[in-house]
Amino acid sequence: MKAVRFHEYGDPGVLRYEDVDLPVPGPGQVRIRVAATSFNPVDGNIRGGFMQGPIPVVLPHTPGIDVAGTIDALGEGVDGIAVGDDVIGFLPMDKPGAAAQYVLAPADILTPAPKSVPLPDAAALPLVGLTAWQALFDHGKLTAGQRVLVNGAGGAVGGYAVQLAKNAGAHVIATAGPRSGEQVRTAGADEVVDHTSTEVTTAVTEPVDVVLNLAPVDPAQLAALPGLIRPGGVLVNTTVWMPAPSDEERDVRGVDLFVRSDAQQLAHLVTLTDGGHLHIDVAERVPLADLPALHARAADGAVHGKVIVVPPAA
């Protein structure tokens, strides 16, 4: 089969489009014929060698954490899923990924794919959708009537976070640049702050219950965010290279989010999608052979929105 792999850590030039052996599913695993994977910024960090501690991959490594595809073969002991089923999943980050025509996956991380979107586009959902869900509800404990600030709402996680928070009955304040402001408002934000012209600490005049920080802000800006949160509230931070600040005197918690695979939560996101309550937005669709070039564009800051990566037909 065709796959993209890197044999050593480094810049996007280490990625190779090459022939590799077809994988064989072991006990508890299935083989998926990949309809698409997606690009996530963490892919570049893993390729660059910056995540060797938390995500120790074996070289050569195939990137691609998200998968959408069709079950092609079953390993021993797998039931409740059949060859021919369309599925999506958030793959183990330290195992070979879905930037290939086929990939192995633990059967228990998969959920049936949404039926309301093309199967390849569903690869845009797992990692970013689960990140938004876990930030808001597992850690933020967001409930109807609360106020939430999504700082950095213009990205893929932010788009889902705004939709999910609005669906939950929250008042949503979102920061975004001029390019993505209208998209964020369409997603359901009640207030949109242009972070290129206005400091969020000035724009938010009433306390919020939850802050979700998705933006690579400077340390001083991050440190100022707990001051916007009411006593007992929480700041959930996804920029893990800067720990989430807290304010113990006011009982404002700071939580660093490390997203985890959860098939039950992912199934709920699929239900919301098929019910018309969650929109999957795909900015670009690129062929697998162009993944090295996509990594290079991302390294230059030239990738905006969610990009799915489509292998050739197997």
Side-chain angles (χ1 to χ4, degrees):
M1 69 174 184
K2 290 293 187 182
V4 171
R5 301 194 298 179
F6 55 89
H7 295 248
E8 61 276 334
Y9 296 113
D11 64 24
V14 302
L15 292 166
R16 304 182 196 172
Y17 183 58
E18 57 191 12
D19 292 305
V20 303
D21 292 336
L22 193 68
V24 177
Q29 290 184 319
V30 300
R31 185 170 66 207
I32 300 170
R33 185 172 72 250
V34 178
T37 185
S38 80
F39 175 79
N40 292 289
V42 71
D43 295 330
N45 292 328
I46 294 171
R47 184 213 68 238
F50 307 121
M51 305 292 286
Q52 294 181 56
I55 309 174
V57 302
V58 175
L59 299 179
H61 178 71
T62 305
I65 297 163
D66 292 311
V67 66
T70 304
I71 300 296
D72 172 74
L74 305 178
E76 181 184 348
V78 173
D79 54 20
I81 198 168
V83 170
D85 287 354
D86 290 340
V87 295
I88 62 172
F90 169 23
L91 297 170
M93 299 176 80
D94 60 346
K95 298 293 189 291
Q101 289 177 298
Y102 293 88
V103 68
L104 301 181
D108 59 5
I109 68 150
L110 301 172
T111 197
K115 300 186 183 305
S116 58
V117 299
L119 182 58
D121 287 8
L125 179 62
L127 175 62
V128 289
L130 287 170
T131 300
W133 180 270
Q134 291 169 19
L136 291 170
F137 303 112
D138 287 359
H139 300 291
K141 309 298 183 187
L142 186 69
T143 58
Q146 290 189 320
R147 291 166 53 83
V148 57
L149 168 64
V150 181
N151 194 42
V157 175
Y160 287 119
V162 169
Q163 293 182 73
L164 291 169
K166 191 63 181 173
N167 288 343
H171 179 90
V172 183
I173 307 165
T175 71
R179 184 180 58 246
S180 53
E182 188 54 40
Q183 181 177 335
V184 169
R185 196 176 298 279
T186 300
D190 298 286
E191 303 175 44
V192 178
V193 178
D194 181 353
H195 65 78
T196 66
S197 62
T198 308
E199 283 289 338
V200 65
T201 49
T202 303
V204 178
T205 55
E206 296 180 42
V208 298
D209 299 276
V210 178
V211 170
L212 173 52
N213 182 61
L214 309 171
V217 297
D218 68 46
Q221 289 175 305
L222 184 63
L225 291 177
L228 303 177
I229 304 171
R230 66 160 181 80
V234 60
L235 166 64
V236 184
N237 181 46
T238 63
T239 57
V240 294
W241 57 91
M242 290 191 296
S246 58
D247 185 342
E248 294 181 5
E249 289 186 4
R250 298 174 54 250
D251 191 27
V252 172
R253 295 181 297 121
V255 176
D256 292 305
L257 172 65
F258 295 90
V259 63
R260 58 184 174 81
S261 188
D262 188 310
Q264 187 173 356
Q265 289 180 351
L266 189 54
H268 182 64
L269 294 175
V270 168
T271 298
L272 290 174
T273 301
D274 282 342
H277 304 295
L278 190 65
H279 175 68
I280 294 177
D281 185 54
V282 175
E284 289 185 71
R285 299 164 182 83
V286 303
L288 178 62
D290 291 349
L291 183 58
L294 175 61
H295 272 241
R297 284 198 291 130
D300 290 338
V303 172
H304 306 291
K306 195 65 176 169
V307 182
I308 63 167
V309 180
V310 183

